[in-house]
Amino acid sequence: MTSVFQRALGADFDRLHPRLRRRFGVDGGTDVGCVGTGVMERVWRGPAFTAPFLRLGTLRHILFPETGVDVPFTIESYAYADSYRRPTLTFVRTFEVATHRRRRFDATMVYSPRRGVLVDYLGTHQHLAVDLHLGVDPTGALTVRSGAQRFRGGVPCPAALTGRAHLREWYDERSGRFRIEVRVTNPLVGPLFGYTGSFTVRYVRPDLAPVPAAVRPLRENPGD
């Protein structure tokens, strides 16, 4: 079996750090899941006027307005075939932004042969599809840059409503931890949201546990 990240990266997949190859190679075969736990050293957002927009995102587990330092964090990744029989890798990020308050950021990723990219379906109902352009830098880190964005049904998202994401994830040999940096900007208002932190992972074997229902979206987008 081939993971969706391996399909999207092609030969570049082998240039990833070995720890990242296993993490992004989760395909439901050797590993059905990868669960990371750690701390976001900083979670930030843009100017105050961006808060209402980010607050809307909490309704569908996409974005959120809270900020903080040393925020406990988990990221759950599971591989499965969705209802359209597409190999899928889900990412559910949970931030403990305050006492008794959690925020989630959900995404499910499917490789699109027609578009030639990994497509990221955001939120619990997958209202928004985002093309992801992947790369591997000289250190073996994974880089991700978001591209075209579409509402359900293939309707292009106006530029003013988009969030352009840039992500870098790498393995820190000295600390034995994965590190991640995420930055989301808007072409009109500038910086919207981001976080920086680190985590460790454990892998879930397919014979030990099923894919949790809580990490699957409530509705799936058939794509375009």
Side-chain angles (χ1 to χ4, degrees), residues 163-182:
R164 299 293 183 180
H166 289 80
L167 174 149
R168 182 173 184 262
E169 184 173 323
W170 69 101
Y171 187 75
D172 185 342
E173 293 280 0
R174 290 191 300 175
S175 66
R177 299 173 70 85
F178 291 87
R179 295 198 58 84
I180 188 169
E181 293 179 347
V182 174

Side-chain angles (χ1 to χ4, degrees), residues 62 86 108 110-123 125-133 146-159 161-164 219 221-224:
I62 299 177
R86 299 172 299 187
T108 47
V110 175
Y111 179 73
S112 170
R114 186 179 72 82
R115 303 184 74 88
V117 296
L118 198 62
V119 179
D120 190 1
Y121 295 108
L122 299 180
H125 290 67
Q126 299 191 346
H127 289 302
L128 188 64
V130 181
D131 291 349
L132 299 182
H133 301 281
S146 66
Q149 303 181 22
R150 302 169 299 284
F151 292 119
R152 191 177 182 89
V155 178
C157 183
L161 299 179
T162 61
R164 299 293 183 180
R219 185 177 69 179
N221 190 325
D224 58 331

Side-chain angles (χ1 to χ4, degrees), residues 193-213:
F193 174 82
Y195 50 87
T196 303
S198 68
F199 56 95
T200 59
V201 305
R202 63 178 176 85
Y203 293 93
V204 181
R205 285 171 32 195
D207 58 329
L208 295 182
V211 175

